[in-house]
Amino acid sequence: MIAIAAVLADIALILTHRVRTSPEPVESTPWRHMAAGLAGCVAGWLAVGRPELVWDDLSLTLVCGVVLASGAAHAARSLTGRTRAGWVTACVSGAAAATWLLPGPLPFS
């Protein structure tokens, strides 16, 4: 449940950024935000009790926690004008994506 909410929030943030900003020149991949999203995934995995890693769930977690989180972090940084917003978005989205690894929804696991 938490992961679904985080993914929907990331997508909404990215779409808002694309609608509000004028077409910008293509920037390089935000590698630092990808690393922060991956660190958030690891922290979330540790926080939810280190569930067993299954390839299907792990790939979904990495796509949502690294790729979407880095895009949302770039959008948050651009919309707010603060670099801290990008870092927080990447870490929180990564940590929330780790709940995909649980066998059931978080409150009921």
Side-chain angles (χ1 to χ4, degrees), residues 42-109:
V42 171
W45 177 70
L46 292 171
V48 296
R50 299 184 317 171
E52 183 178 336
L53 299 176
V54 179
W55 178 248
D56 296 338
D57 296 337
L58 182 62
S59 62
L60 182 63
T61 299
L62 291 176
V63 166
C64 294
V66 177
V67 177
L68 273 177
S70 67
H74 171 69
R77 187 184 51 156
S78 295
L79 289 173
T80 62
R82 297 182 177 167
T83 57
R84 186 181 329 152
W87 292 109
V88 170
T89 302
C91 292
V92 170
S93 294
T99 60
W100 285 116
L101 298 170
L102 293 173
L106 188 60
F108 307 108
S109 295

